[in-house]
């Protein structure tokens, strides 16, 4: 599409301003993240569709199509990147895909409770990466508020803690990569590039889709999907997968925007709280049982998340020392 064609479109980027409301975006992130988690479980169970990489590929494909449609409508304009910056986007998409791959592989080598407990350490790795690479500082109260969040997830997922040496290594590596992905996502949106969330999704999704398909082919999942499609694919399943992809697209947009409006650490804490809320909803919807220890963990995580949010809001609104007057 050339610039003359784009100039006659009714919607221009100047007319599309993302509301600067961190609480609203975090709330949407929670709602869509929970919806997608439960919807994924429903698709896997109701349609017996045990193909996680294919489902991830559907998400990436819908992200590519959706972001291109918004670009075509003129809602945002892609930034011009040089070769080095384009390479950063390629590496970011590889990080996104490898993070999922290692998480999936490690789940086969450790128990789910152990996996969730290690992943609960993501905020701590995020802090270390932010200090090391972004030279950020955090208050003592921020560190203290993370304790109930982390220990809450530990208690909420208490159970059979079995792991192999390789499983332990891959689970820790996956947690570090998850923290790194969140930090990089924040950096490319608020750093020098200042990419629009839809611009970031437009660049990342096609690359992630190709990498996901390659991984599915190498692991043999793509062949199993072909066999499954010959006899089990129905219009209801196709509709469910497309709906799943649409939800994932909007979740990605909201997630990137919330990351840009808040911080990498806030997103990792939000992810921990979301995990506990998923457990709570699963108990109600799927008639699961929890122990008093699990209940204590859920309570601690929710309280810790609220405490952290209050501290961050207070610190964000606090005037910075030696801050120049507005307009200078």
């Amino acid at each position: 599409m050339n610039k003359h064609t784009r100039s006659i479109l009714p919607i221009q980027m100047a007319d599309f301003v993302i509301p600067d409301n961190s609480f609203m975006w975090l709330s949407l992130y929670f709602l869509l993240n929970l919806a997608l988690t439960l919807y994924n479980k429903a698709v896997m169970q109701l349609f017996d569709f045990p193909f996680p990489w294919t489902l991830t590929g559907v998400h990436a494909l819908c992200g590519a199509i959706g972001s291109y449609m918004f670009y075509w409508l003129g809602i945002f304009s892609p930034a011009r990147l040089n070769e080095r910056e384009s390479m950063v986007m390629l590496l970011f998409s590889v990080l996104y895909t490898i993070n999922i791959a290692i998480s999936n592989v490690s789940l086969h080598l450790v128990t789910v409770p152990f996996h969730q407990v290690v992943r609960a350490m993501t905020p701590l790795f995020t802090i270390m990466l932010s200090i090391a690479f972004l030279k950020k500082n955090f208050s003592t109260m921020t560190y203290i508020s993370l304790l109930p969040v982390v220990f809450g997830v530990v208690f909420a997922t208490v159970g059979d803690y079995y792991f192999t040496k390789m499983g332990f290594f891959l689970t820790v590596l996956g947690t570090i990569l998850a923290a790194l992905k969140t930090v990089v996502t924040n950096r490319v949106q608020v750093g020098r590039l200042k990419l629009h969330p839809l611009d970031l999704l437009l660049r990342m999704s096609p690359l992630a889709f190709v990498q996901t398909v390659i991984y599915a082919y190498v692991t043999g999942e793509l062949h199993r999907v072909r066999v499954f499609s010959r006899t089990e694919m129905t219009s209801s399943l196709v509709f469910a997968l497309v709906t799943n992809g649409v939800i994932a697209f909007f979740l990605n947009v909201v997630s990137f925007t919330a990351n840009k409006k808040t911080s990498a650490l806030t997103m990792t804490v939000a992810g921990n709280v979301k995990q506990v809320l998923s457990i709570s909803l699963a108990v109600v919807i799927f008639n699961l049982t929890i122990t008093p220890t699990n209940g204590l963990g859920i309570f601690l995580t929710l309280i810790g998340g609220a405490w952290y949010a209050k501290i961050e809001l207070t610190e964000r609104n606090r005037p910075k020392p030696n801050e120049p007057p507005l307009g200078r």
Side-chain angles (χ1 to χ4, degrees), residues 90-267:
L90 175 60
L91 294 176
F92 178 78
S93 69
V94 172
L95 173 63
Y96 173 85
T97 306
I98 290 179
N99 177 51
I100 298 174
I102 290 181
S103 178
N104 287 342
V105 172
S106 64
L107 267 175
H108 291 288
L109 302 174
V110 302
T111 56
V112 172
F114 177 80
H115 187 268
Q116 294 304 321
V117 167
V118 175
R119 298 288 285 197
M121 305 300 158
T122 305
L124 303 184
F125 287 116
T126 302
I127 285 179
M128 289 188 288
L129 290 170
S130 297
I131 293 174
F133 296 105
L134 304 182
K135 309 302 180 185
K136 295 192 68 173
N137 297 314
F138 299 93
S139 67
T140 302
M141 291 304 297
T142 297
Y143 292 118
I144 295 175
S145 69
L146 292 177
L147 294 178
V149 175
V150 173
F151 284 107
V153 176
V154 172
F155 289 137
T157 57
V158 68
D160 182 16
Y161 293 101
Y162 166 80
F163 57 89
T164 64
K165 290 181 180 179
M166 180 57 69
F168 177 85
F169 171 75
L170 289 177
T171 303
V172 173
L173 177 61
T175 304
I176 295 174
L177 290 177
L180 179 61
K181 178 175 72 72
T182 307
V183 171
V184 173
T185 300
N186 181 265
R187 192 61 180 170
V188 299
Q189 293 186 109
V190 302
R192 197 195 70 78
L193 295 180
K194 290 184 171 58
L195 291 183
H196 190 284
L198 286 166
D199 190 1
L200 177 58
L201 191 60
L202 177 64
R203 297 174 188 278
M204 186 198 70
S205 294
L207 296 171
F209 173 72
V210 172
Q211 294 158 16
T212 302
V213 170
I214 292 174
Y215 191 89
Y217 174 78
V218 172
T219 58
E221 182 179 297
L222 208 57
H223 173 71
R224 296 194 298 272
V225 170
R226 292 196 196 100
V227 175
F228 176 89
S229 300
R230 294 191 189 106
T231 57
E232 304 295 331
M233 188 63 69
T234 63
S235 57
S236 298
L237 176 55
V238 171
F239 178 79
L241 291 175
V242 171
T243 302
N244 189 278
V246 171
I247 296 174
F249 164 70
F250 284 106
L251 172 60
N252 277 321
V253 174
V254 169
S255 176
F256 289 157
T257 306
N259 194 317
K260 183 175 183 177
K261 297 297 180 184
T262 56
S263 67
L265 179 58
T266 298
M267 294 304 294

Side-chain angles (χ1 to χ4, degrees), residues 81-93 207:
L81 306 183
N82 56 36
E83 290 185 6
R84 180 178 176 276
E85 292 164 343
S86 297
M87 182 58 66
V88 170
M89 290 296 99
L90 175 60
L91 294 176
F92 178 78
S93 69
L207 296 171

Side-chain angles (χ1 to χ4, degrees), residues 53-67:
W53 277 105
T54 302
L55 198 59
T56 303
V58 171
H59 292 177
L61 180 60
C62 288
I65 295 173
S67 54

